Amino acid sequence: MSLSGRAVAEFVGTALLVAIVIGSGIMAETLTSDVGVSLLLNQLATVLGLGVLIAVLMPISGAHINPAVSLAILLRQEISAGEAAVYVMAQFLGAMGGVALAHVMFGRAVLEISGNDRLTTGTFVGEIVATAGLIAMILLLVQRGSSSVIPLVVPAWIGAGYVFTSSTSFANPAVTLGRMFTDSFAGISPLSGLGFMAAQLVGIAVALALVIPVITASKEKSDD
């Protein structure tokens, strides 16, 4: 498919992912005042929606729907800088579209500024762990020729990250941007969001540092 077609797929996929994350958070707030139950509802919707989106979009664009994934694949020299730039732009624009869609569905202002401060030393480390794990898993599965299980593995990791990381596993700069513009359950203040994005960049670097030696060793073994 043409680059423009793949960019549209990345835009739509990211928009729907952000709408799922934010919309399910708003719905959870209306159904219960129990934060734990709200988190569970938000988690389930995200896991299920993410799995569907990856399965549908993988044959079209590779289903990055995450600038961290596109950047990692660029650093592995598996896509060109131009392709990566188009993907990332589509993802960030899609994130903003997803916020607007979720807010319109629930009768809120199209865009809001979140007042939810989430950034601490613990959540910064949590985002590094969440992002590094995500990127490492994707790269290793692709290298092994096991891409078919990515629609199962990635949502499972994000779902687990909701409850085992202190950051609740954003692991996606585009989703983080979108969540800065909703003052709802899923929101994150702009300052905290920028901190999370910095942690995500560190997570990419950690993943590549861990995975590249493994991939290199595997290639050398197969060449022997």
Side-chain angles (χ1 to χ4, degrees), residues 10 30 57 84 121 205:
E10 288 294 305
T30 67
L57 295 177
T121 300

Side-chain angles (χ1 to χ4, degrees), residues 24-25 28 30 46-47 58 64 69 76-77 85 102 108 115 133 139 145 171 182 187 208:
S24 62
T30 67
T46 301
V47 167
M58 273 191 71
H64 295 189
V69 174
R76 289 281 301 141
Q77 299 182 333
R108 300 174 73 109
L139 293 179
T182 179
L208 291 173

Side-chain angles (χ1 to χ4, degrees), residues 47 52 75 90 93 99 118 135:
V47 167
V52 170
L75 293 174
L93 290 174
V99 179
R118 295 177 181 256
I135 299 303

Side-chain angles (χ1 to χ4, degrees), residues 64-224:
H64 295 189
I65 52 179
N66 184 340
V69 174
S70 298
L71 179 57
I73 291 176
L74 169 64
L75 293 174
R76 289 281 301 141
Q77 299 182 333
E78 294 171 14
I79 58 173
S80 69
E83 288 175 310
V86 171
Y87 268 45
V88 170
M89 184 179 298
Q91 291 154 0
F92 279 121
L93 290 174
M96 298 307 295
V99 179
L101 175 60
H103 283 186
V104 168
M105 287 193 291
F106 286 94
R108 300 174 73 109
V110 174
L111 296 176
E112 305 164 345
I113 301 297
S114 176
N116 191 356
D117 294 322
R118 295 177 181 256
L119 184 61
T120 65
T121 300
T123 57
F124 188 87
V125 173
E127 267 304 281
I128 293 173
V129 171
T131 307
L134 175 68
I135 299 303
M137 288 176 194
I138 291 172
L139 293 179
L140 288 171
L141 288 171
V142 170
Q143 188 272 332
R144 278 196 247 161
S146 301
S147 299
S148 61
V149 301
I150 287 177
L152 299 175
V153 172
V154 168
W157 175 256
I158 295 299
Y162 256 83
V163 290
F164 94 83
T165 68
S166 55
S167 67
T168 66
S169 188
F170 285 41
N172 186 325
V175 170
T176 304
L177 175 69
R179 291 172 73 162
M180 293 183 202
F181 292 93
T182 179
D183 197 23
S184 63
F185 180 80
I188 182 170
S189 68
L191 183 60
S192 292
L194 292 174
F196 272 42
M197 287 182 180
Q200 290 155 5
L201 290 174
V202 175
I204 296 170
V206 170
L208 291 173
L210 293 173
V211 167
I212 288 175
V214 175
I215 292 176
T216 301
S218 177
K219 286 181 178 178
E220 290 175 350
K221 184 177 181 180
S222 63
D223 291 340
D224 291 342

